[in-house]
Amino acid sequence: MLSGRQEQILRAVVEEYIVHAEPVGSRTISKREDVGFSAATIRNEMADLEELGFLKQPYTSAGRVPSQSGYRYYVDFLMGPQHLAREDLLAVRRLFASQMDALEQTIQQTASILSQITNYTSILLGPELYENKLKHLQVVPLTDRMAVVLIVTDTGHVDQRRITVPKGVSLSSIEQMVNLLNAKLTGVPLFQLKRTVYRELYSELSRYVENYEYLLTMIDQMLVEDREDRVFFSGTTNILTQPEFRDVEKVKALMDLLEQNDTVVKMLAADKNSGIQVKIGQENHLEAMNNCSIVSASFTLDGRSLGTIGVLGPTRMDYRKVVSLLEVLIEDLSAHLRRVYK
């Protein structure tokens, strides 16, 4: 642990660098009202903080900038809450006051607002459809041999799948099948649908539905498990406005990474009960993320995680603002989901 004086100086260096993106000198820190030490004292303490690994000097005769260890210490021990600007809070309140009844629409709007307020890149994972439950099933015929299946979940998500109708299957048989499935499968988690059909509905289908053996082929197409995480981005190009990313190779590596959904999902994977998480630079274990940080948290409905919301920015990101904003967003988003889907 650092001394109280060292903590004051480290906090001041981090906050100055976040705002100005320029190495911070002792004279700059001495002018801050919340420090109150002479430039000479500050210079000595900054040298000690550099030796301890919390600050670094980018080149001779320059001021200091925080190291990743310095950012970590700041986030863990020095960062207090930030009062959000009134216009930012109003933007969040207006978002969840609107009549959005589909989870996917809510997520997309949340991602957009988050990137606008922070000027960073927002990433949202969700909904995790395999945990959601069936609310309603509908089959819409397109031609004699083609139809679209609409699977509506308890969280308002609508999944569309195009299927082939087997020869000899009539519209009335499809209606019988759909009515039976809705009667028996409502409330069943999506990943259990097919197993439930074969364990509990096979005999009923054979008794009450014509050409049931052909309809099982349709059911296989309709209920194929979809565990693909949906990834929503907003403000992806915001990273280009940050001075750290004037290097084209750095930008290219990061943009290539963001196109890999599997990698993004693993990067945002979090302990769903751990609250807000901050991963700084190399803590992300990806070379393209060495100069970036991610702040993330999961959002829930009835204790069930529906996805994760995150903010990606430079290691110089305004952690206080992002963490405070995520706290408000997660609380309001979870409350919105409870109102809409109860």
Side-chain angles (χ1 to χ4, degrees):
M1 296 294 289
L2 301 179
S3 69
R5 184 161 63 187
Q6 287 172 328
E7 288 188 340
Q8 277 186 277
I9 293 168
L10 177 59
R11 180 193 291 113
V13 172
V14 171
E15 292 176 354
E16 288 290 331
Y17 188 63
I18 284 171
V19 173
H20 300 292
E22 295 287 346
V24 182
S26 55
R27 284 180 57 81
T28 300
I29 301 302
S30 68
K31 294 176 182 178
R32 287 175 57 117
E33 294 181 0
D34 60 339
V35 175
F37 307 122
S38 69
T41 298
I42 293 169
R43 195 158 43 246
N44 289 335
E45 293 289 11
M46 288 173 75
D48 289 343
L49 287 167
E50 182 180 359
E51 189 174 331
L52 291 168
F54 293 105
L55 298 179
K56 56 185 181 180
Q57 194 169 25
Y59 46 88
T60 307
S61 302
R64 267 77 169 189
V65 300
S67 67
Q68 293 190 12
S69 296
Y71 285 123
R72 172 50 60 194
Y73 194 96
Y74 172 79
V75 168
D76 290 346
F77 301 111
L78 307 180
M79 181 180 72
Q82 177 169 313
H83 295 294
L84 297 172
R86 184 171 180 272
E87 58 268 26
D88 294 340
L89 281 173
L90 285 175
V92 174
R93 301 294 186 232
R94 282 196 297 268
L95 170 66
F96 296 115
S98 60
Q99 298 300 311
M100 294 182 294
D101 58 1
L103 179 57
E104 199 159 304
Q105 180 191 8
T106 304
I107 288 173
Q108 289 171 331
Q109 292 292 331
T110 301
S112 177
I113 286 291
L114 189 54
S115 66
Q116 289 173 33
I117 293 176
T118 63
N119 204 32
Y120 300 134
T121 299
S122 63
I123 308 173
L124 279 86
L125 304 184
E128 296 174 356
L129 290 181
Y130 62 92
E131 292 186 356
N132 296 343
K133 297 175 182 178
L134 180 70
K135 181 178 180 181
H136 182 69
L137 191 69
Q138 184 178 353
V139 177
V140 180
L142 299 177
T143 67
D144 291 342
R145 297 297 310 282
M146 295 294 296
V148 171
V149 178
L150 304 177
I151 298 176
V152 184
T153 74
D154 59 338
T155 57
H157 177 80
V158 180
D159 194 18
Q160 294 189 104
R161 300 176 186 181
R162 184 169 292 209
I163 64 170
T164 302
V165 179
K167 285 184 178 180
V169 173
S170 66
L171 182 59
S172 62
S173 295
I174 294 175
E175 290 175 350
Q176 283 181 291
M177 175 191 70
V178 170
N179 289 337
L180 180 59
L181 293 178
N182 277 324
K184 299 294 184 178
L185 298 181
T186 298
V188 174
L190 296 195
F191 73 94
Q192 293 180 352
L193 291 180
K194 188 181 290 188
R195 182 171 57 188
T196 304
V197 167
Y198 280 94
R199 282 186 178 179
E200 301 177 18
L201 299 183
Y202 182 86
S203 60
E204 288 194 57
L205 281 170
S206 63
R207 285 200 304 270
Y208 299 118
V209 180
E210 294 179 0
N211 299 316
Y212 76 93
E213 64 273 16
Y214 297 117
L215 291 172
L216 289 175
T217 304
M218 285 185 64
I219 290 173
D220 281 340
Q221 297 177 67
M222 293 164 54
L223 304 183
V224 61
E225 291 183 24
D226 179 7
R227 296 186 67 137
E228 179 184 355
D229 294 270
R230 283 159 168 75
V231 183
F232 302 89
F233 293 93
S234 186
T236 306
T237 57
N238 285 348
I239 202 75
L240 302 178
T241 67
Q242 304 297 331
E244 293 90 336
F245 289 91
R246 290 175 183 148
D247 184 332
V248 174
E249 289 304 313
K250 282 184 183 179
V251 173
K252 184 178 182 302
L254 184 59
M255 292 303 170
D256 287 346
L257 182 147
L258 294 180
E259 290 178 0
Q260 303 168 29
N261 276 12
D262 289 348
T263 303
V264 173
V265 169
K266 290 175 184 175
M267 186 171 66
L268 276 184
D271 178 352
K272 302 196 187 314
N273 298 312
S274 63
I276 292 178
Q277 290 194 339
V278 180
K279 293 181 182 178
I280 299 171
Q282 294 176 353
E283 294 173 359
N284 291 288
H285 306 296
L286 293 164
E287 186 175 352
M289 287 289 294
N290 281 351
N291 298 294
C292 299
S293 292
I294 283 217
V295 182
S296 62
S298 63
F299 52 95
T300 61
L301 177 65
D302 295 334
R304 180 160 49 97
S305 175
L306 294 181
T308 304
I309 181 170
V311 176
L312 181 151
T315 51
R316 188 184 51 82
M317 76 156 57
D318 188 343
Y319 295 98
R320 289 178 65 205
K321 180 176 182 177
V322 173
V323 169
S324 297
L325 182 59
L326 269 188
E327 286 174 344
V328 172
L329 265 176
I330 289 297
E331 183 178 343
D332 285 10
L333 178 56
S334 296
H336 173 79
L337 294 176
R338 286 194 298 272
R339 288 194 304 270
V340 173
Y341 302 123
K342 276 293 188 181

